[in-house]
Amino acid sequence: MEPKDERLPRWSLGSGSGLRYGSFVNSLSSLTPKAEEREKPAISPRRAYVAVAVLCYINLLNYTERYTIAGVLPNIQKFFDISDSMAALIQTVFISSFLLLAPLFGYLGDRYNRKYIMIGGLSMWLVTAAGSSLVSESYFWLLMLLRAMVGIGEASYSTIAPTIIGDLFVGTRRSAMICVFYICIPVGSGLGYITGAGVATLTGDWRWALRITPILGVVGLVLLVFLCPNPPRGAAETNGEGVTGQSSYKQDIKYLLKTKSYVWSSLGVTATAFLTGAMAFWMPTFLSRARVSQGLLPPCFKEPCNPTDSYIFGAVTVLTGILGACLGSGLSRWFGDRVPNVDPLICAVGLLGSAPCLFITIFVASASIPITYVFIFIGGVLISLNWAVMADILLYIVIPTRRATAEALQISVLHLLGDAGSPYLVGVISDAIRKSKPATHDWSFRSLKYSLLVCPFAGILGGLFFLMTSIYITGDRKAAARLVEGDPQPQQGAASEPPIELSNGDKSNQTNNLSVNI
């Protein structure tokens, strides 16, 4: 039956009673916005691009701040007189709080005003990040506590920001904006090394390095308040109408766990996080020790230590991040129409190809630093193919009202099993090797060298996970699109998918419903 001639309410993805996958409530024609409504998007294109610029700026600062610690790590170890494993705890504590709070922010992000949540989290990040620079040498525990609170602030932003971009754009524009957003990860990380080492060298005090990003973050907070909108969930897919959700958190989790491509891609992202987390945290220190082992650099007995490798590795990280992310996104767009499962295949090729480069990097460092950087560059480009593509996968296989929860769950898993423990694991292995060997600078380098061998194996495992993702991703992508578009056509294998109901929010039209069970 035709719907009543009145303005249509926003689309609704609700839980319903039966929660059978593909069930539709309300007439299918009522789910199509009117022509005049399609011409008036909820957020203007100009405002959407400004919002993405603000979100990218803050994301850049997030990762700059996160890896400033790695850029001045030798100075921190000298200042607090701590071992490799204790130094790695700084990163582990930060990531642990990040992963523990991410599910909460994902739950809130799918139900409440996302802009307010990000403002609150960013405010906490600014205060605690600045406070980290005020800790004296006898209060190492306080530094770890403050770093944990920084992780809480960043969890609110990293969980929600990609979902806002997903609601502002669709198709190739969304892929391009996600690419720009995730380029900020390697670029920000590289700038963290450079900023940390540079400020520590100029001021003679590593703590000043931790004060730069909070100052710049105040600007980001102001821009977020005045320039970033909170678009309706699913606005891009529904021509500005938006989608509302009525499902419980338990139902959201069941839906995600039954989406096979989401599960396998999350495992692939976790392996990537394990690999990049350990390499990013330890590589400048590893290269610095390699120079000492070769006699190219004197040992560091007092801060500030020589920042050469923080500068070079930071610059390489920025360059490989930009090149790899753009290349990965370009390959995705180029082959997207011809190869439906190209995105996980790109991720698989990137990780599997990076593994031999990392093996060579680890073993060549004892002989030639320039050759080492060549393979760091090649491996970095291959790993960076994944940054934008991994995020885009999540946005198109998960319905809009569950994207924040999907981001949060994936973040929790990838940090719990990935970079929360990998820097610490490398540090523990390094300390264990050093205890059984002579206390020389050469063995200080070798112990870290052998402990880093866990990273290439994680890359191989991640590549296999993405190959599994490629098997299921086409069906899952079509299933998510059908739910949003209101297409009643059946899908093969739908019975194994999670339950969901698509309904219009106008209760007055319930007598004119068309119900189709698939």
Side-chain angles (χ1 to χ4, degrees), residues 72-81 135 137 200-201 203-208 299-306:
V72 295
L73 188 60
N75 298 305
I76 294 176
Q77 287 187 277
K78 296 298 178 183
F79 184 82
F80 289 105
D81 191 22
V135 179
E137 61 265 32
T201 301
T203 62
D205 187 350
W206 64 269
R207 288 173 294 187
W208 274 102
C300 179
F301 295 105
K302 184 179 180 181
E303 61 166 317
C305 298
N306 190 299

PDB file of all heavy atoms in Angstrom, residues 72-81 135 137 200-201 203-208 299-306:
ATOM      1  N   VAL A  72      61.714   9.936  22.427  1.00  0.00           N
ATOM      2  CA  VAL A  72      62.647  10.321  23.507  1.00  0.00           C
ATOM      3  C   VAL A  72      62.836   9.177  24.491  1.00  0.00           C
ATOM      4  O   VAL A  72      63.219   9.405  25.648  1.00  0.00           O
ATOM      5  CB  VAL A  72      62.129  11.582  24.237  1.00  0.00           C
ATOM      6  CG1 VAL A  72      62.118  12.773  23.306  1.00  0.00           C
ATOM      7  CG2 VAL A  72      60.731  11.351  24.819  1.00  0.00           C
ATOM      8  N   LEU A  73      62.581   7.943  24.051  1.00  0.00           N
ATOM      9  CA  LEU A  73      62.636   6.799  24.957  1.00  0.00           C
ATOM     10  C   LEU A  73      63.996   6.623  25.629  1.00  0.00           C
ATOM     11  O   LEU A  73      64.052   6.374  26.846  1.00  0.00           O
ATOM     12  CB  LEU A  73      62.244   5.517  24.214  1.00  0.00           C
ATOM     13  CG  LEU A  73      62.079   4.269  25.080  1.00  0.00           C
ATOM     14  CD1 LEU A  73      60.998   4.467  26.134  1.00  0.00           C
ATOM     15  CD2 LEU A  73      61.747   3.053  24.210  1.00  0.00           C
ATOM     16  N   PRO A  74      65.123   6.716  24.915  1.00  0.00           N
ATOM     17  CA  PRO A  74      66.412   6.595  25.618  1.00  0.00           C
ATOM     18  C   PRO A  74      66.569   7.635  26.734  1.00  0.00           C
ATOM     19  O   PRO A  74      67.141   7.334  27.797  1.00  0.00           O
ATOM     20  CB  PRO A  74      67.441   6.814  24.499  1.00  0.00           C
ATOM     21  CG  PRO A  74      66.725   6.404  23.248  1.00  0.00           C
ATOM     22  CD  PRO A  74      65.319   6.849  23.451  1.00  0.00           C
ATOM     23  N   ASN A  75      66.069   8.848  26.520  1.00  0.00           N
ATOM     24  CA  ASN A  75      66.129   9.875  27.558  1.00  0.00           C
ATOM     25  C   ASN A  75      65.282   9.504  28.772  1.00  0.00           C
ATOM     26  O   ASN A  75      65.684   9.711  29.921  1.00  0.00           O
ATOM     27  CB  ASN A  75      65.648  11.217  26.993  1.00  0.00           C
ATOM     28  CG  ASN A  75      66.513  11.714  25.863  1.00  0.00           C
ATOM     29  OD1 ASN A  75      67.711  11.860  25.998  1.00  0.00           O
ATOM     30  ND2 ASN A  75      65.906  11.964  24.705  1.00  0.00           N
ATOM     31  N   ILE A  76      64.103   8.944  28.504  1.00  0.00           N
ATOM     32  CA  ILE A  76      63.227   8.541  29.601  1.00  0.00           C
ATOM     33  C   ILE A  76      63.862   7.416  30.409  1.00  0.00           C
ATOM     34  O   ILE A  76      63.794   7.394  31.648  1.00  0.00           O
ATOM     35  CB  ILE A  76      61.850   8.121  29.047  1.00  0.00           C
ATOM     36  CG1 ILE A  76      61.141   9.333  28.424  1.00  0.00           C
ATOM     37  CG2 ILE A  76      60.989   7.499  30.125  1.00  0.00           C
ATOM     38  CD1 ILE A  76      59.819   8.999  27.775  1.00  0.00           C
ATOM     39  N   GLN A  77      64.490   6.466  29.725  1.00  0.00           N
ATOM     40  CA  GLN A  77      65.139   5.365  30.432  1.00  0.00           C
ATOM     41  C   GLN A  77      66.278   5.872  31.315  1.00  0.00           C
ATOM     42  O   GLN A  77      66.462   5.380  32.438  1.00  0.00           O
ATOM     43  CB  GLN A  77      65.665   4.332  29.424  1.00  0.00           C
ATOM     44  CG  GLN A  77      64.566   3.500  28.777  1.00  0.00           C
ATOM     45  CD  GLN A  77      65.112   2.367  27.918  1.00  0.00           C
ATOM     46  OE1 GLN A  77      65.471   2.574  26.759  1.00  0.00           O
ATOM     47  NE2 GLN A  77      65.167   1.176  28.473  1.00  0.00           N
ATOM     48  N   LYS A  78      67.016   6.840  30.843  1.00  0.00           N
ATOM     49  CA  LYS A  78      68.090   7.409  31.659  1.00  0.00           C
ATOM     50  C   LYS A  78      67.521   8.219  32.823  1.00  0.00           C
ATOM     51  O   LYS A  78      68.040   8.178  33.938  1.00  0.00           O
ATOM     52  CB  LYS A  78      69.002   8.290  30.796  1.00  0.00           C
ATOM     53  CG  LYS A  78      69.746   7.545  29.701  1.00  0.00           C
ATOM     54  CD  LYS A  78      70.677   6.498  30.286  1.00  0.00           C
ATOM     55  CE  LYS A  78      71.376   5.729  29.164  1.00  0.00           C
ATOM     56  NZ  LYS A  78      72.250   4.642  29.705  1.00  0.00           N
ATOM     57  N   PHE A  79      66.453   8.968  32.573  1.00  0.00           N
ATOM     58  CA  PHE A  79      65.862   9.838  33.589  1.00  0.00           C
ATOM     59  C   PHE A  79      65.288   9.036  34.755  1.00  0.00           C
ATOM     60  O   PHE A  79      65.528   9.358  35.923  1.00  0.00           O
ATOM     61  CB  PHE A  79      64.771  10.701  32.944  1.00  0.00           C
ATOM     62  CG  PHE A  79      64.164  11.709  33.869  1.00  0.00           C
ATOM     63  CD1 PHE A  79      64.794  12.919  34.113  1.00  0.00           C
ATOM     64  CD2 PHE A  79      62.948  11.456  34.491  1.00  0.00           C
ATOM     65  CE1 PHE A  79      64.230  13.857  34.968  1.00  0.00           C
ATOM     66  CE2 PHE A  79      62.372  12.380  35.343  1.00  0.00           C
ATOM     67  CZ  PHE A  79      63.013  13.594  35.580  1.00  0.00           C
ATOM     68  N   PHE A  80      64.554   7.977  34.446  1.00  0.00           N
ATOM     69  CA  PHE A  80      63.924   7.165  35.495  1.00  0.00           C
ATOM     70  C   PHE A  80      64.759   5.945  35.875  1.00  0.00           C
ATOM     71  O   PHE A  80      64.395   5.234  36.816  1.00  0.00           O
ATOM     72  CB  PHE A  80      62.542   6.703  35.032  1.00  0.00           C
ATOM     73  CG  PHE A  80      61.513   7.794  34.959  1.00  0.00           C
ATOM     74  CD1 PHE A  80      61.118   8.315  33.738  1.00  0.00           C
ATOM     75  CD2 PHE A  80      60.938   8.314  36.110  1.00  0.00           C
ATOM     76  CE1 PHE A  80      60.172   9.322  33.661  1.00  0.00           C
ATOM     77  CE2 PHE A  80      59.986   9.325  36.044  1.00  0.00           C
ATOM     78  CZ  PHE A  80      59.600   9.831  34.818  1.00  0.00           C
ATOM     79  N   ASP A  81      65.856   5.679  35.135  1.00  0.00           N
ATOM     80  CA  ASP A  81      66.716   4.524  35.383  1.00  0.00           C
ATOM     81  C   ASP A  81      65.901   3.225  35.352  1.00  0.00           C
ATOM     82  O   ASP A  81      65.829   2.480  36.324  1.00  0.00           O
ATOM     83  CB  ASP A  81      67.438   4.657  36.723  1.00  0.00           C
ATOM     84  CG  ASP A  81      68.549   3.611  36.884  1.00  0.00           C
ATOM     85  OD1 ASP A  81      69.030   3.093  35.849  1.00  0.00           O
ATOM     86  OD2 ASP A  81      68.919   3.303  38.041  1.00  0.00           O
ATOM     87  N   VAL A 135      56.013  15.182  35.791  1.00  0.00           N
ATOM     88  CA  VAL A 135      56.381  14.117  36.732  1.00  0.00           C
ATOM     89  C   VAL A 135      57.890  14.139  36.986  1.00  0.00           C
ATOM     90  O   VAL A 135      58.692  14.241  36.051  1.00  0.00           O
ATOM     91  CB  VAL A 135      55.958  12.740  36.181  1.00  0.00           C
ATOM     92  CG1 VAL A 135      56.365  11.624  37.137  1.00  0.00           C
ATOM     93  CG2 VAL A 135      54.457  12.720  35.939  1.00  0.00           C
ATOM     94  N   GLU A 137      61.553  12.400  38.679  1.00  0.00           N
ATOM     95  CA  GLU A 137      62.178  11.093  38.471  1.00  0.00           C
ATOM     96  C   GLU A 137      61.816  10.043  39.518  1.00  0.00           C
ATOM     97  O   GLU A 137      61.979   8.849  39.276  1.00  0.00           O
ATOM     98  CB  GLU A 137      63.709  11.242  38.414  1.00  0.00           C
ATOM     99  CG  GLU A 137      64.332  11.798  39.682  1.00  0.00           C
ATOM    100  CD  GLU A 137      64.518  13.302  39.597  1.00  0.00           C
ATOM    101  OE1 GLU A 137      63.686  13.955  38.922  1.00  0.00           O
ATOM    102  OE2 GLU A 137      65.480  13.813  40.190  1.00  0.00           O
ATOM    103  N   ALA A 200      63.397  17.869  22.635  1.00  0.00           N
ATOM    104  CA  ALA A 200      64.301  17.434  23.710  1.00  0.00           C
ATOM    105  C   ALA A 200      65.720  17.937  23.461  1.00  0.00           C
ATOM    106  O   ALA A 200      66.421  18.331  24.403  1.00  0.00           O
ATOM    107  CB  ALA A 200      64.284  15.910  23.810  1.00  0.00           C
ATOM    108  N   THR A 201      66.146  17.944  22.216  1.00  0.00           N
ATOM    109  CA  THR A 201      67.492  18.426  21.881  1.00  0.00           C
ATOM    110  C   THR A 201      67.594  19.940  22.060  1.00  0.00           C
ATOM    111  O   THR A 201      68.587  20.447  22.619  1.00  0.00           O
ATOM    112  CB  THR A 201      67.845  18.051  20.433  1.00  0.00           C
ATOM    113  OG1 THR A 201      67.775  16.627  20.274  1.00  0.00           O
ATOM    114  CG2 THR A 201      69.247  18.516  20.086  1.00  0.00           C
ATOM    115  N   THR A 203      65.740  21.966  23.978  1.00  0.00           N
ATOM    116  CA  THR A 203      65.547  22.432  25.353  1.00  0.00           C
ATOM    117  C   THR A 203      66.458  21.730  26.360  1.00  0.00           C
ATOM    118  O   THR A 203      66.630  22.215  27.475  1.00  0.00           O
ATOM    119  CB  THR A 203      64.091  22.220  25.779  1.00  0.00           C
ATOM    120  OG1 THR A 203      63.780  20.810  25.742  1.00  0.00           O
ATOM    121  CG2 THR A 203      63.147  22.965  24.859  1.00  0.00           C
ATOM    122  N   GLY A 204      67.014  20.570  25.946  1.00  0.00           N
ATOM    123  CA  GLY A 204      67.820  19.791  26.885  1.00  0.00           C
ATOM    124  C   GLY A 204      66.987  19.053  27.914  1.00  0.00           C
ATOM    125  O   GLY A 204      67.521  18.506  28.882  1.00  0.00           O
ATOM    126  N   ASP A 205      65.669  19.013  27.720  1.00  0.00           N
ATOM    127  CA  ASP A 205      64.765  18.360  28.673  1.00  0.00           C
ATOM    128  C   ASP A 205      63.672  17.655  27.879  1.00  0.00           C
ATOM    129  O   ASP A 205      62.883  18.306  27.186  1.00  0.00           O
ATOM    130  CB  ASP A 205      64.149  19.399  29.618  1.00  0.00           C
ATOM    131  CG  ASP A 205      63.333  18.765  30.741  1.00  0.00           C
ATOM    132  OD1 ASP A 205      63.079  17.548  30.677  1.00  0.00           O
ATOM    133  OD2 ASP A 205      62.942  19.504  31.664  1.00  0.00           O
ATOM    134  N   TRP A 206      63.597  16.330  27.988  1.00  0.00           N
ATOM    135  CA  TRP A 206      62.625  15.557  27.224  1.00  0.00           C
ATOM    136  C   TRP A 206      61.183  15.883  27.598  1.00  0.00           C
ATOM    137  O   TRP A 206      60.257  15.682  26.807  1.00  0.00           O
ATOM    138  CB  TRP A 206      62.864  14.058  27.412  1.00  0.00           C
ATOM    139  CG  TRP A 206      62.668  13.587  28.834  1.00  0.00           C
ATOM    140  CD1 TRP A 206      63.619  13.505  29.800  1.00  0.00           C
ATOM    141  CD2 TRP A 206      61.440  13.147  29.428  1.00  0.00           C
ATOM    142  NE1 TRP A 206      63.060  13.038  30.974  1.00  0.00           N
ATOM    143  CE2 TRP A 206      61.731  12.816  30.771  1.00  0.00           C
ATOM    144  CE3 TRP A 206      60.135  13.008  28.973  1.00  0.00           C
ATOM    145  CZ2 TRP A 206      60.761  12.347  31.654  1.00  0.00           C
ATOM    146  CZ3 TRP A 206      59.157  12.545  29.849  1.00  0.00           C
ATOM    147  CH2 TRP A 206      59.478  12.219  31.169  1.00  0.00           C
ATOM    148  N   ARG A 207      60.971  16.404  28.803  1.00  0.00           N
ATOM    149  CA  ARG A 207      59.605  16.672  29.260  1.00  0.00           C
ATOM    150  C   ARG A 207      58.931  17.782  28.453  1.00  0.00           C
ATOM    151  O   ARG A 207      57.703  17.811  28.332  1.00  0.00           O
ATOM    152  CB  ARG A 207      59.611  17.026  30.750  1.00  0.00           C
ATOM    153  CG  ARG A 207      59.905  15.797  31.635  1.00  0.00           C
ATOM    154  CD  ARG A 207      60.086  16.164  33.072  1.00  0.00           C
ATOM    155  NE  ARG A 207      61.290  16.974  33.275  1.00  0.00           N
ATOM    156  CZ  ARG A 207      61.758  17.321  34.471  1.00  0.00           C
ATOM    157  NH1 ARG A 207      61.121  16.923  35.564  1.00  0.00           N
ATOM    158  NH2 ARG A 207      62.837  18.050  34.573  1.00  0.00           N
ATOM    159  N   TRP A 208      59.727  18.688  27.890  1.00  0.00           N
ATOM    160  CA  TRP A 208      59.144  19.721  27.042  1.00  0.00           C
ATOM    161  C   TRP A 208      58.538  19.128  25.777  1.00  0.00           C
ATOM    162  O   TRP A 208      57.619  19.715  25.182  1.00  0.00           O
ATOM    163  CB  TRP A 208      60.198  20.775  26.688  1.00  0.00           C
ATOM    164  CG  TRP A 208      60.310  21.838  27.731  1.00  0.00           C
ATOM    165  CD1 TRP A 208      61.269  21.972  28.692  1.00  0.00           C
ATOM    166  CD2 TRP A 208      59.394  22.922  27.932  1.00  0.00           C
ATOM    167  NE1 TRP A 208      61.022  23.059  29.480  1.00  0.00           N
ATOM    168  CE2 TRP A 208      59.883  23.669  29.040  1.00  0.00           C
ATOM    169  CE3 TRP A 208      58.229  23.341  27.300  1.00  0.00           C
ATOM    170  CZ2 TRP A 208      59.218  24.794  29.511  1.00  0.00           C
ATOM    171  CZ3 TRP A 208      57.576  24.459  27.769  1.00  0.00           C
ATOM    172  CH2 TRP A 208      58.064  25.178  28.856  1.00  0.00           C
ATOM    173  N   PRO A 299      78.101   5.418  23.303  1.00  0.00           N
ATOM    174  CA  PRO A 299      76.961   5.062  24.156  1.00  0.00           C
ATOM    175  C   PRO A 299      76.405   6.292  24.861  1.00  0.00           C
ATOM    176  O   PRO A 299      77.122   7.261  25.120  1.00  0.00           O
ATOM    177  CB  PRO A 299      77.553   4.061  25.153  1.00  0.00           C
ATOM    178  CG  PRO A 299      78.811   3.572  24.513  1.00  0.00           C
ATOM    179  CD  PRO A 299      79.338   4.707  23.697  1.00  0.00           C
ATOM    180  N   CYS A 300      75.093   6.252  25.149  1.00  0.00           N
ATOM    181  CA  CYS A 300      74.441   7.355  25.846  1.00  0.00           C
ATOM    182  C   CYS A 300      74.430   7.075  27.345  1.00  0.00           C
ATOM    183  O   CYS A 300      73.786   6.122  27.800  1.00  0.00           O
ATOM    184  CB  CYS A 300      73.006   7.523  25.330  1.00  0.00           C
ATOM    185  SG  CYS A 300      72.090   8.834  26.150  1.00  0.00           S
ATOM    186  N   PHE A 301      75.152   7.901  28.108  1.00  0.00           N
ATOM    187  CA  PHE A 301      75.192   7.741  29.556  1.00  0.00           C
ATOM    188  C   PHE A 301      74.370   8.811  30.275  1.00  0.00           C
ATOM    189  O   PHE A 301      74.029   8.659  31.441  1.00  0.00           O
ATOM    190  CB  PHE A 301      76.642   7.807  30.063  1.00  0.00           C
ATOM    191  CG  PHE A 301      77.486   6.666  29.573  1.00  0.00           C
ATOM    192  CD1 PHE A 301      78.428   6.861  28.566  1.00  0.00           C
ATOM    193  CD2 PHE A 301      77.338   5.398  30.102  1.00  0.00           C
ATOM    194  CE1 PHE A 301      79.208   5.813  28.111  1.00  0.00           C
ATOM    195  CE2 PHE A 301      78.120   4.335  29.646  1.00  0.00           C
ATOM    196  CZ  PHE A 301      79.063   4.546  28.648  1.00  0.00           C
ATOM    197  N   LYS A 302      74.048   9.885  29.570  1.00  0.00           N
ATOM    198  CA  LYS A 302      73.316  10.978  30.182  1.00  0.00           C
ATOM    199  C   LYS A 302      72.464  11.657  29.120  1.00  0.00           C
ATOM    200  O   LYS A 302      72.897  11.862  27.991  1.00  0.00           O
ATOM    201  CB  LYS A 302      74.290  11.984  30.806  1.00  0.00           C
ATOM    202  CG  LYS A 302      73.616  13.119  31.557  1.00  0.00           C
ATOM    203  CD  LYS A 302      74.643  14.062  32.158  1.00  0.00           C
ATOM    204  CE  LYS A 302      73.978  15.207  32.912  1.00  0.00           C
ATOM    205  NZ  LYS A 302      74.981  16.137  33.487  1.00  0.00           N
ATOM    206  N   GLU A 303      71.227  11.993  29.472  1.00  0.00           N
ATOM    207  CA  GLU A 303      70.356  12.669  28.513  1.00  0.00           C
ATOM    208  C   GLU A 303      70.830  14.113  28.269  1.00  0.00           C
ATOM    209  O   GLU A 303      71.481  14.695  29.126  1.00  0.00           O
ATOM    210  CB  GLU A 303      68.916  12.667  29.040  1.00  0.00           C
ATOM    211  CG  GLU A 303      68.738  13.405  30.371  1.00  0.00           C
ATOM    212  CD  GLU A 303      67.286  13.666  30.686  1.00  0.00           C
ATOM    213  OE1 GLU A 303      66.526  14.053  29.786  1.00  0.00           O
ATOM    214  OE2 GLU A 303      66.932  13.487  31.850  1.00  0.00           O
ATOM    215  N   PRO A 304      70.532  14.698  27.095  1.00  0.00           N
ATOM    216  CA  PRO A 304      69.791  14.101  25.969  1.00  0.00           C
ATOM    217  C   PRO A 304      70.662  13.192  25.126  1.00  0.00           C
ATOM    218  O   PRO A 304      71.823  13.502  24.867  1.00  0.00           O
ATOM    219  CB  PRO A 304      69.340  15.319  25.176  1.00  0.00           C
ATOM    220  CG  PRO A 304      70.387  16.338  25.431  1.00  0.00           C
ATOM    221  CD  PRO A 304      70.843  16.123  26.842  1.00  0.00           C
ATOM    222  N   CYS A 305      70.091  12.050  24.719  1.00  0.00           N
ATOM    223  CA  CYS A 305      70.807  11.105  23.867  1.00  0.00           C
ATOM    224  C   CYS A 305      70.737  11.563  22.409  1.00  0.00           C
ATOM    225  O   CYS A 305      69.904  12.393  22.033  1.00  0.00           O
ATOM    226  CB  CYS A 305      70.197   9.712  24.007  1.00  0.00           C
ATOM    227  SG  CYS A 305      70.300   9.033  25.696  1.00  0.00           S
ATOM    228  N   ASN A 306      71.608  10.986  21.586  1.00  0.00           N
ATOM    229  CA  ASN A 306      71.669  11.362  20.176  1.00  0.00           C
ATOM    230  C   ASN A 306      70.328  11.057  19.481  1.00  0.00           C
ATOM    231  O   ASN A 306      69.867   9.915  19.503  1.00  0.00           O
ATOM    232  CB  ASN A 306      72.804  10.602  19.485  1.00  0.00           C
ATOM    233  CG  ASN A 306      73.078  11.114  18.088  1.00  0.00           C
ATOM    234  OD1 ASN A 306      72.224  11.070  17.229  1.00  0.00           O
ATOM    235  ND2 ASN A 306      74.295  11.606  17.861  1.00  0.00           N
TER     236      ASN A 306
END
